[in-house]
Amino acid sequence: MSDIPGENDQPDPSDPLDSFDEIIDAETTRDPDLAVIEAGSRTLRTQGGPPQADIPGRPADPEVDKALREVEAELATRWGETKLEPSVARIAALMDVLGEPQRSYPSIHITGTNGKTSTARMIEALLGAFELRTGRYTSPHVQSITERISLDGAAISAERFIETYQDIKPYVEMVDARQEYRLSFFEVLTGMAYAAFADAPVDVAVVEVGMGGSWDATNVIDGDVAVVTPIDLDHTDRLGSTPGEIATEKAGIVKQDATVILAQQPVDAAQVMLKKAVDVNATVAREGLEFGVVARQVAVGGQLVTLRGLGGEYTEIYLPLHGAHQAHNAAVALAAVEAFFGVGAQRPEPLDIDTVRKAFAAVASPGRMEVVRRSPTVVLDAAHNPAGARVTAEAVGEAFQFSRLIGVVGASGDKNVRGLLEAFEPVFAEVVVTQNSSHRAMDADELAGIAVEVFGEDRVQVEPRLPDALEAAITLAEEEGEFAGGGVLVTGSVITVGEARLLLGKG
C-alpha cells in the first residue's frame, strides 16, 4: 500500500506510491464512495499486480533435464514421505559426516498443521527485505522438487540441485551402510538443503518441518525462533488423536532458551506448548495477547491489514493473499521476524514500517488460493484436511462473489476425506471428483461414493482423469454465462493442485 508521509515530509511527485488520502482528495469531482473505491484500486495497482509465484518448470536444457530426472529417480527408490521410522539418528549421522552444516547459520523453525509454507514464505520475504540472505526449506512441492530448497527467495536451479545431490551422495551412501534403514527421501532432501544453505552461505534458514517435530528430519537444527502455526487433526495415525497429543510431538522443535511464536491454538495444544516452553526456559509470544491481527479488509487482489507486532502496530499493510487465515499467518510471520531481530526483548522500537510493507506486498504462495485462469475464474488451493478446507471455504466466499462454485476434488487416501468434503459442501454447487497421479491418491470411484453421501447424487460428477475433471468443471461454471460469475476451485491435495497448475499452463 501507499506510504503516509510524516508531518515534515513533502510528497515526492515522482513516487508512484502516493498516499491513500491524497488520492481520495484528488477525486473531487467523483461520488465520495466511488472515489474511495477507485483510490484503493489505483493504490494497489501501483504494486504492479499480484506477485508471480516462483515455481520453476522443467529445465530447458535436455541434458540438465535428464540429469535431474536421474536424481529424482534415485531419490524415488528411498522411503517416501509417508513411510516413517521415528528417529533423527540417520539424519544426525549424515550431518556428522557432512561437518554439521546446519550449525553454520541461525534458523527459524516452523511446525503446526496448516499454514506452514505460507508463513515460511512471508518470513523469508521479510528477512530478505531487511537485506539478509535467506535459505528456505519447505514441503511438499507443488510442481518441481527444486521448489523445496530456496535461496534468496527463489528455488535453487536444477543445476545447483543436481550438484548438491552429487556432493552429498557419497556421504549418504556411507550413512546408509551403517544404519539399520537407509536414509529416506525426505532425510536426503533435508541434508541437501542444510548443505546448500551452508555452501551459499545464508544469513538465516527458514525451515518447515515435514511432519510433527521431535523426530522430524529437520529437527537437527536448534532454531533461535520456533514458530507454531495452528494445530489441528492431521496425520492422526502417527501424531495423535487430539490437538494436545499432536502438540506434544510438535513441541519437540522448541529448544533451550528459544523464542516461541504461538499462533492461536486449541486449549489443550496451547497448554502443551506453554509447558514445554517453561521446561526449556523459552520465551513465548502468543497470538491474541502479545501480537495479532488488529484489522483487515478485502482489497483488490488480496487484503489490507493492520498488525500488532511485538514492537508496536504496523498499519496499511497490503497482503496479496486471500483469506483471514493468511492475515493470521502474516501476524505470526511478523512476530517471528521481530523476535529474530530482538524486537520486544533487546530493542523496544518496531521494524521499519516501509520495509515491512514492501516485503508483504511481494509475497506469493503458489497453490494457496491462487487464481490461475479467468472467464471462468479457476482458483487452486492445496487444502487437504478438514481444518484447511474450512478456512478455504470461508476465504473463497469472502474474496470472490461467485454465483455458482464448482469444486474439483482429488484427495489422498490417508486423509479425512469425508471431513474435507463436508467443509466444502455449503459452498460447492456441484463437485467433480477425480484423482491425481500419486500412488497415494484415493480412487475416484471410492471418493465419489463418499461425495454422494455428503452432496447427494445429483451434485456429484466422476472424472477419473484430472484433465477431464477440469474440463467438466469449467463447462459447468460456464453454464452461468460469461458475466454471471461462475467459478471453479481445485483442491484436496498439493499434488492435485500442482498437476492442475501444469495443465492450466502455469510453470
Side-chain angles (χ1 to χ4, degrees), residues 11 16 65 67 124 149 166 379 405:
D65 186 52
E124 173 189 50
I149 304 172
Q166 297 297 343
V379 183
L405 180 62

Side-chain angles (χ1 to χ4, degrees), residues 201-215:
V202 302
D203 297 315
V204 54
V206 182
V207 178
E208 173 191 336
V209 302
M211 185 187 300
S214 294
W215 43 257

Side-chain angles (χ1 to χ4, degrees), residues 41-75:
S41 177
R42 285 170 52 189
T43 305
L44 297 181
R45 283 201 297 270
T46 64
Q47 305 294 341
Q52 296 302 304
D54 58 332
I55 297 294
R58 297 300 307 183
D61 186 327
E63 291 302 314
V64 175
D65 186 52
K66 179 183 176 182
L68 180 59
R69 291 184 188 278
E70 289 172 353
V71 171
E72 291 171 319
E74 288 187 25
L75 289 169

Side-chain angles (χ1 to χ4, degrees), residues 222-234:
D222 293 326
D224 301 78
V225 178
V227 176
V228 187
T229 66
I231 293 173
D232 213 298
L233 301 182
D234 200 9

